Amino acid sequence: MTAFLIRRLLIAIPTILFLIVLSFVLMEVAPGSPFDSERGVPQYVLDNLEAKYGLDRPPWERLGLYVWNIVTDFDFGPTFTYRDRTVNDIIAQGFPVTLTYGFWSGIAAMAVGIPLGIVAALKQNSWIDTLAVGFSVGAQVLPNFVMAPILVLVFTLWLGWLPGGGWGGGQWNYLVLPVIALSTSYMASIARLTRSSMLEVLNAPFIRTARAKGLPMRRVVWRHALKPAMLPVISYLGPTFAFLITGSVLIDVFFSTGGIGQFFVAAALGRDYAIIMGVTILYGVIVVALNLLVDLLYAWIDPKIRYA
């Protein structure tokens, strides 16, 4: 297992470095400048601004310094639009908000989707199976950018039960609507994937052998069928959790949570390439880390993978 972990780390580290370099190159070739919105500013002022932020240096020198600061201090540098604030300050302010509701969205999606898929597979072609499949289809056609305004319309404007925006220090009533809006479509995908995977495993020869030996169905499911059935689900949960934790831009903007998505949109509109690169690299690191965790879970569940 240790050798398997070392191999995966040797793949993850250069992947992250490549992501940093690629993000820098893409921002370098993007048209425009962070200071293009400054109208009527003399050229010498723009020259001074570029000198202040090191934009007058050669690209290769700025790339080397940027990579070195990230590797040694995890420092993404200053922002261009927020005075006296760094990209790290922006991430430290917005990421905990996004992490909170993204984490609970992932928990909600798994807590509902996995049991629903298992029950639907065990009760195939019953009313429970029909209900689960109908829920999955309905949730897929109602993505979060459709679900969010519907939730606000019903639970805020009509019923007045929950606030339709804000953060409120992370109180539960401010979390409910963003969590539901963000998790519903993933909940449905997890339920559908769990159902199909469980049905495939339940029809496998080793499951038929276990049932022929007279083992109770509950034991067959929990001791023999659950682990192999969870392999496709785990592979799906890796990038899904990364997306949920880094947050949906629409959820941040629509509910005004103050999450990192709002800063990302503002940076894109203001051409603040430092924030765009910082958030992109943060997202990439989380994706790589969670994919590494998925690989380890795979190797723990199925020992054949670690020796492949």
Side-chain angles (χ1 to χ4, degrees):
M1 191 68 176
T2 303
F4 180 81
L5 175 60
I6 294 175
R7 289 200 304 269
R8 285 297 181 265
L9 286 174
L10 292 177
I11 296 174
I13 292 174
T15 301
I16 294 174
L17 291 175
F18 176 76
L19 173 65
I20 295 173
V21 174
L22 180 63
S23 300
F24 183 90
V25 172
L26 290 177
M27 292 299 102
E28 184 69 25
V29 300
S33 166
F35 309 114
D36 283 351
S37 59
E38 304 292 340
R39 301 299 182 186
V41 177
Q43 183 61 41
Y44 72 89
V45 175
L46 294 178
D47 294 339
N48 290 336
L49 287 173
E50 291 182 353
K52 176 183 177 181
Y53 291 104
L55 299 179
D56 57 339
R57 299 179 181 179
W60 61 267
E61 182 179 343
R62 287 189 282 116
L63 173 60
L65 184 62
Y66 187 73
V67 174
W68 176 256
N69 289 336
I70 293 177
V71 172
T72 56
D73 301 323
F74 205 70
D75 181 14
F76 294 105
T79 67
F80 299 126
T81 56
Y82 296 92
R83 183 175 298 178
D84 299 327
R85 300 189 68 185
T86 64
V87 177
N88 292 52
D89 295 333
I90 299 298
I91 293 176
Q93 177 183 342
F95 185 65
V97 175
T98 303
L99 177 64
T100 300
Y101 74 74
F103 171 79
W104 288 113
S105 297
I107 296 297
M110 289 192 302
V112 176
I114 292 177
L116 187 62
I118 294 175
V119 173
L122 296 177
K123 304 292 184 180
Q124 186 182 13
N125 297 326
S126 67
W127 68 270
I128 297 178
D129 187 19
T130 303
L131 180 64
V133 173
F135 167 75
S136 300
V137 174
Q140 288 294 325
V141 300
L142 286 176
N144 53 20
F145 60 84
V146 177
M147 184 68 70
I150 293 176
L151 292 173
V152 172
L153 180 65
V154 174
F155 292 101
T156 302
L157 299 181
W158 289 356
L159 300 176
W161 291 354
L162 297 168
W167 183 236
Q171 299 178 27
W172 71 268
N173 54 333
Y174 287 89
L175 281 171
V176 173
L177 294 186
V179 166
I180 295 176
L182 187 57
S183 65
T184 304
S185 60
Y186 296 101
M187 190 184 301
S189 298
I190 291 172
R192 181 166 48 83
L193 186 60
T194 303
R195 176 186 179 275
S196 61
S197 180
M198 182 62 73
L199 285 175
E200 182 179 353
V201 173
L202 289 176
N203 292 322
F206 72 94
I207 296 296
R208 291 199 297 268
T209 302
R211 296 183 66 179
K213 290 181 178 180
L215 293 178
M217 190 61 188
R218 178 179 299 180
R219 186 175 181 183
V220 171
V221 172
W222 290 104
R223 293 290 299 273
H224 300 282
L226 189 59
K227 271 191 176 182
M230 286 296 102
L231 287 175
V233 180
I234 290 174
S235 65
Y236 175 78
L237 288 177
T240 296
F241 246 105
F243 181 80
L244 290 171
I245 289 176
T246 52
S248 168
V249 171
L250 183 137
I251 297 298
D252 279 328
V253 173
F254 189 87
F255 289 103
S256 301
T257 60
I260 201 169
Q262 287 183 271
F263 293 104
F264 188 82
V265 172
L269 295 176
R271 295 179 178 176
D272 195 334
Y273 298 144
I275 295 180
I276 297 175
M277 287 191 296
V279 175
T280 302
I281 293 169
L282 175 65
Y283 177 78
V285 169
I286 293 175
V287 170
V288 171
L290 289 178
N291 283 333
L292 174 62
L293 179 61
V294 166
D295 289 340
L296 296 179
L297 289 175
Y298 249 88
W300 175 69
I301 293 175
D302 188 357
K304 292 182 296 184
I305 295 177
R306 75 182 74 161
Y307 299 115

